[in-house]
């Protein structure tokens, strides 16, 4: 995976993270697994796979695997989104509604539990084989960029169309979310809920609605991430590892900044490749494993609120 | 028969007091073993300023919290606009036109004054998630209208100069005023104020009193307020409920209450604050 695509994926995972953190103060460890789950569901629906077929077959001695139909990509994406909204509702109804007012660490633990549950559930539901995902996004080397750079520099830049698309979509998503949060009714309500529950209630905001909405938005972002990543390298369970890189992205971008997520994601995604390319050979390579974390560590020391985060003021 | 038993009447200062807007019937509220409210009934009439007074811990805030849906009483009925109110969550109560402020101020500290005030208009925004995205024109029109109402209230409460200031930077007295502004922009049928003047200096108290009277006078807003300062209460309110240890010990005009022996003993007689 190249730097641009990796950066977009880090950014998208971080974005879903920021949304939930902003609106509910929940540090959602399961954001990466949500992307995996969304991608699994999308493939499952598109290919007409029977959910829980392994389980059904094992229990009833049957041998069902496919419904025998294929669902067009667009319809499948809509259906997957319905599933993600359903998931958001369930998560709120059966987990976080019961944990209102608990310590952040308890909420965090709950999301760890959710992550493991969702990973296992996705496995049982759709199987753990690596699945090909093709929703019709353009792929292959972008010849225009290749030509232009060749003419200008004497050698061509190979950039995958998919990566350009992913970057474009991610930036669009960020702009849309910023506009939504800043100017729409529900965006304003979301910021209000994030700020003070009591006050939000007193102006007539339904907290549960906002929480379900925010988890749904995070689910949507997860779906986009899942599509990009699944198209690139197949839907496989290693995606949840990518999610760990979202942490340094958050340290860079700030935990509450929507634009910070994308900027941080791209900096780390592209930065770790460049670093590996330039410095890597001098230190024996494999810098990608630690570059992001060291960068995050530097930020933690010198600018703990990140590039865009609100300044942290300790009240005494 | 006192003047208060009539359906509609005009006060000496020319304000019209209408029929019953809200009625609390035999409300009891307990927290474990603590009886915060014991069998209290009273009503609030349209257009009046109704005060609730009593020593610390008397159950005044609890009562306001019952009215606004934050607390659910174990017993009793809440009647609003002529019908009994089913059990409601606070946001549903707010959507019925009941706005409030809090004793300990609940503002959106991370937002500017204007943004805080604008959240008070959320209930008046009808355009939903999808139509907002699709039909941008209508949403914009609505935003403009809501802005106008907000600016009007901001002018009215004389906080134009801090419109863009983050609330967290404001002194206490101004915060109270911003909270009032946020409640007012909702154009509520009933406005609940929990100690709007607590912690203020004399000058700020006078300002706040004037605002409360002006709100009631100009917009005809019905107001229920909790206040400790007896002088203020006597000046502002049309009728007063007196609570002590969760029980109602007096109810009437400021003059009636002032001369009520039980009130003198329980409230004025004992040391408080
Ligand atoms: N959420 C709660 N949980 C437990 N007890 C409560 C709660 N709210 C109020 N109480 C108790 O109910 C009683 C009445 O409290 P309340 O806040 O209504 O009094 P108050 O008249 O508003 O007093 P003050 O003038 O100090 O504001 C007190 O004994 C208080 O401790
Ligand atoms: Mg109180």
């Amino acid at each position: 995976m190249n730097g641009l695509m990796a950066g977009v994926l880090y950014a998208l995972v971080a974005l879903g993270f920021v949304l939930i953190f902003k609106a509910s103060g929940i540090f959602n460890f399961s954001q990466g697994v949500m992307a995996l789950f969304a991608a699994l569901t999308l493939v499952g629906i598109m290919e007409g796979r029977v959910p829980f077929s392994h389980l059904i077959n094992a229990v009833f001695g049957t041998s069902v695997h496919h419904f025998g139909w294929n669902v067009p990509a667009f319809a499948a994406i809509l259906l997957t989104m319905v599933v993600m909204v359903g998931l958001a509702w369930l998560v709120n109804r059966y987990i976080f509604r019961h944990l209102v007012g608990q310590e952040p660490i308890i909420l965090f633990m709950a999301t760890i539990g959710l992550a493991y549950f969702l990973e296992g559930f996705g496995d049982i539901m759709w199987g753990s084989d690596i699945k090909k995902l093709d929703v019709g996004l353009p792929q292959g080397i972008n010849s225009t960029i290749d030509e232009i750079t060749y003419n200008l520099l004497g050698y061509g830049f190979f950039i995958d169309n998919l990566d350009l698309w992913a970057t474009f979509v991610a930036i669009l998503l960020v702009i849309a979310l910023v506009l939504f949060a800043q100017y729409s009714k529900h965006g304003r309500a979301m910021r209000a809920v994030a700020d003070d529950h009591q006050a939000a209630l007193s102006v007539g905001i339904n907290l549960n609605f906002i929480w379900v909405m925010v988890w749904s938005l995070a689910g949507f972002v997860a779906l986009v991430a899942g599509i990009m990543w699944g198209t690139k390298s197949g839907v496989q369970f290693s995606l949840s590892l990518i999610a760990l890189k979202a942490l340094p992205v958050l340290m860079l971008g700030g935990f509450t900044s929507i634009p910070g997520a994308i900027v941080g994601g791209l900096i780390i995604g592209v930065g770790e490749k460049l670093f590996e390319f330039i410095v890597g050979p001098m230190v024996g390579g494999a810098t990608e494993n630690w570059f992001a974390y060291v960068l995050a560590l530097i930020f933690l020391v010198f600018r703990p609120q990140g590039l865009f985060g609100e300044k942290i003021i300790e009240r005494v | 028969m006192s003047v208060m038993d009539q359906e509609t009447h005009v006060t000496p200062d020319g304000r019209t007091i209408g029929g019953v807007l809200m009625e609390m019937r035999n409300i009891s509220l307990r927290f474990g073993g603590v009886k915060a409210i014991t069998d209290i009934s009273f009503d609030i009439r349209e257009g009046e300023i109704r005060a609730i007074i009593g020593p610390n811990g008397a159950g005044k805030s609890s009562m306001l919290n019952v009215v606004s849906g934050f607390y659910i009483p174990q017993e009793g009925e809440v009647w609003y606009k002529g019908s009994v109110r089913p059990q409601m969550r606070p946001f549903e109560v707010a959507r019925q036109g009941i706005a409030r402020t809090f004793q300990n101020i609940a503002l959106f500290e991370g937002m500017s004054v204007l943004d805080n005030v604008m959240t008070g208009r959320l209930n008046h925004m009808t355009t939903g998630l999808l139509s907002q995205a699709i039909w941008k024109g209508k949403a914009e029109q609505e935003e403009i209208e809501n802005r106008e109402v907000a600016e009007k209230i901001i002018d009215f409460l004389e906080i134009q100069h801090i419109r863009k200031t983050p609330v967290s930077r404001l002194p206490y007295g101004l915060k109270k005023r911003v909270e009032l502004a946020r409640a007012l922009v909702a154009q509520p049928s009933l406005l609940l104020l929990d100690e709007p003047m607590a912690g203020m200096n004399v000058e700020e108290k006078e300002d706040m009193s004037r605002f409360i009277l002006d709100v009631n006078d100009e917009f005809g807003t019905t107001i229920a307020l909790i206040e400790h300062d007896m002088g203020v209460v006597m000046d502002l309110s049309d009728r007063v409920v007196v609570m002590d240890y969760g029980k109602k010990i007096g109810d009437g005009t400021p003059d009636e209450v002032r001369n009520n022996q039980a009130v003198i003993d329980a409230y004025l007689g004992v040391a408080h604050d």
Side-chain angles (χ1 to χ4, degrees):
Chain A
M1 196 172 294
N2 58 50
L4 200 52
M5 189 53 150
V8 168
L9 286 180
Y10 300 159
L12 286 176
V13 173
L15 188 59
F17 210 99
V18 167
L19 279 171
I20 292 178
F21 188 73
K22 247 177 118 68
S24 57
I26 295 173
F27 195 93
N28 182 22
F29 187 76
S30 67
Q31 187 65 33
V33 183
M34 277 166 64
L36 168 69
F37 184 78
L40 283 172
T41 307
L42 179 60
V43 173
I45 292 174
M46 277 178 78
E47 295 180 354
R49 289 175 183 238
V50 178
F52 305 108
S53 56
H54 287 291
L55 198 65
I56 293 171
N57 294 340
V59 174
F60 301 104
T62 50
S63 171
V64 291
H65 293 288
H66 290 271
F67 288 117
W69 63 61
N70 283 310
V71 179
F74 186 70
I77 288 174
L78 283 183
L79 282 173
T80 307
M81 202 45 229
V82 172
V83 172
M84 295 312 282
V85 172
L87 179 70
W89 187 84
L90 288 171
V91 163
N92 184 57
R93 177 70 186 77
Y94 291 103
I95 306 178
F96 293 106
R97 201 189 272 194
H98 302 284
L99 297 178
V100 171
Q102 296 283 357
E103 297 285 323
I105 185 74
I106 292 177
L107 299 171
F108 174 61
M109 296 294 281
T111 70
I112 294 182
L114 177 65
Y116 281 103
F117 172 79
L118 212 53
E119 195 166 342
F121 191 71
D123 188 352
I124 295 177
M125 196 163 167
W126 302 112
S128 56
D129 51 314
I130 297 178
K131 301 166 183 68
K132 235 177 86 60
L133 176 63
D134 184 5
V135 295
L137 288 175
Q139 290 188 62
I141 302 302
N142 185 305
S143 50
T144 322
I145 290 183
D146 185 14
E147 257 172 50
I148 292 174
T149 50
Y150 186 84
N151 291 337
L152 283 177
L153 308 167
Y155 53 90
F157 267 36
F158 291 158
I159 296 186
D160 198 317
N161 274 316
L162 181 64
D163 299 357
L164 290 177
W165 260 92
T167 313
F168 177 68
V169 168
I171 290 172
L172 216 62
L173 204 57
V174 165
I175 293 172
L177 284 172
V178 168
L179 290 178
F180 170 79
Q182 213 58 36
Y183 300 108
S184 77
K185 172 184 179 183
H186 295 291
R188 201 171 262 147
M190 180 180 96
R191 285 187 293 139
V193 170
D195 202 311
D196 192 305
H197 288 178
Q198 262 205 346
L201 283 171
S202 80
V203 296
I205 297 170
N206 182 347
L207 298 186
N208 282 311
F209 175 84
I210 296 298
W211 284 326
V212 172
M213 181 191 84
V214 167
W215 277 81
S216 300
L217 281 176
F220 177 67
V221 174
L223 174 58
V224 173
I227 291 174
M228 299 304 170
W229 164 80
T231 308
K232 189 84 181 179
S233 48
V235 179
Q236 45 183 319
F237 281 72
S238 62
L239 175 63
S240 31
L241 293 178
I242 285 195
L244 287 181
K245 283 271 175 70
L247 283 177
V249 169
L250 288 165
M251 310 244 163
L252 225 69
F255 279 79
T256 52
S257 168
I258 292 174
I262 185 107
V263 176
L266 291 178
I267 289 179
I268 288 193
V270 175
E272 67 183 9
K273 296 292 169 188
L274 282 178
F275 191 81
E276 173 70 20
F277 182 70
I278 298 164
V279 184
M282 295 178 235
V283 295
T287 58
E288 278 171 63
N289 291 334
W290 52 260
F291 173 80
Y293 300 101
V294 171
L295 196 62
L297 208 63
I298 293 170
F299 264 78
L300 269 183
V301 173
F302 294 105
R303 199 181 157 81
Q305 74 270 35
L307 288 171
F308 298 91
E310 291 139 29
K311 190 147 181 68
I312 302 158
I313 301 164
E314 200 64 56
R315 272 169 223 264
V316 204
Chain B
M1 196 196 236
S2 101
V3 78
M4 282 303 158
D5 298 325
Q6 297 161 11
E7 254 306 288
T8 301
H9 67 274
V10 178
T11 59
D13 53 343
R15 292 173 308 119
T16 308
I17 309 277
V20 172
L21 175 68
M22 169 154 271
E23 190 182 352
M24 313 301 285
R25 288 192 188 168
N26 309 102
I27 302 288
S28 292
L29 172 74
R30 291 179 296 274
F31 296 103
V34 179
K35 289 181 179 171
I37 302 173
T38 310
D39 195 27
I40 290 193
S41 304
F42 68 94
D43 62 11
I44 303 170
R45 285 162 170 265
E46 237 161 89
E48 79 173 335
I49 299 181
R50 187 72 147 125
I52 303 174
I53 63 171
N56 288 117
K60 308 179 295 293
S61 295
S62 298
M63 185 52 98
L64 220 59
N65 281 328
V66 170
V67 176
S68 58
F70 279 81
Y71 290 167
I72 296 156
Q74 277 81 12
E75 279 152 53
E77 285 176 345
V78 179
W79 286 67
Y80 182 56
K81 292 186 174 170
S83 51
V84 66
R85 187 174 80 186
Q87 203 185 91
M88 268 184 194
R89 288 172 288 171
F91 77 89
E92 293 169 309
V93 173
R95 289 178 184 185
Q96 289 216 319
I98 298 179
R100 68 167 294 173
T101 65
F102 294 85
Q103 185 168 352
N104 303 314
I105 305 184
L107 282 169
F108 304 115
E109 294 279 331
M111 295 187 199
S112 69
V113 168
L114 181 61
D115 275 351
N116 264 276
V117 176
M118 282 299 281
T119 58
R121 289 301 291 174
L122 282 172
N123 278 338
H124 293 263
M125 300 190 183
T126 47
T127 31
L129 216 51
L130 270 182
S131 60
Q132 239 166 23
I134 298 163
W135 208 8
K136 224 173 146 273
K138 184 156 178 280
E140 268 170 15
Q141 178 63 29
E142 217 177 59
E143 173 80 10
I144 290 167
E145 283 166 19
N146 287 318
R147 261 301 269 278
E148 274 169 12
V149 179
E151 297 291 357
K152 211 180 101 196
I153 297 294
I154 285 175
D155 285 352
F156 186 84
L157 294 179
E158 296 165 18
I159 45 178
Q160 311 91 324
H161 60 293
I162 49 164
R163 294 164 70 250
K164 299 279 176 189
T165 313
V167 157
S168 54
R169 294 219 199 110
L170 297 178
Y172 188 82
L174 277 178
K175 280 189 183 179
K176 283 255 174 199
R177 214 187 285 181
V178 174
E179 210 192 10
L180 175 61
R182 188 184 61 199
L184 262 185
V185 284
Q187 296 170 317
S189 311
L190 176 59
L191 177 61
L192 310 171
L193 306 174
D194 196 343
E195 304 203 14
M197 285 160 250
M200 289 185 169
N201 62 35
V202 177
E203 196 184 332
E204 287 174 323
K205 275 189 186 181
E206 278 170 3
D207 282 343
M208 189 51 103
S209 301
R210 181 165 54 85
F211 287 132
I212 291 171
L213 284 172
D214 286 351
V215 165
N216 174 257
D217 201 22
E218 285 199 26
F219 307 129
T221 313
T222 310
I223 299 173
L225 64 89
I226 296 173
E227 186 47 56
H228 271 294
D229 188 323
M230 288 301 282
V232 170
V233 170
M234 297 301 157
D235 287 346
L236 282 184
S237 48
D238 296 299
R239 287 191 298 161
V240 184
V241 176
V242 191
M243 293 178 69
D244 190 23
Y245 291 114
K247 297 201 177 77
K248 184 168 104 170
I249 57 166
D251 190 352
T253 62
D255 279 334
E256 286 167 1
V257 164
R258 204 188 339 237
N259 298 321
N260 178 330
Q261 195 54 47
V263 175
I264 295 170
D265 290 347
Y267 186 77
L268 306 173
V270 299
H272 60 277
D273 266 48

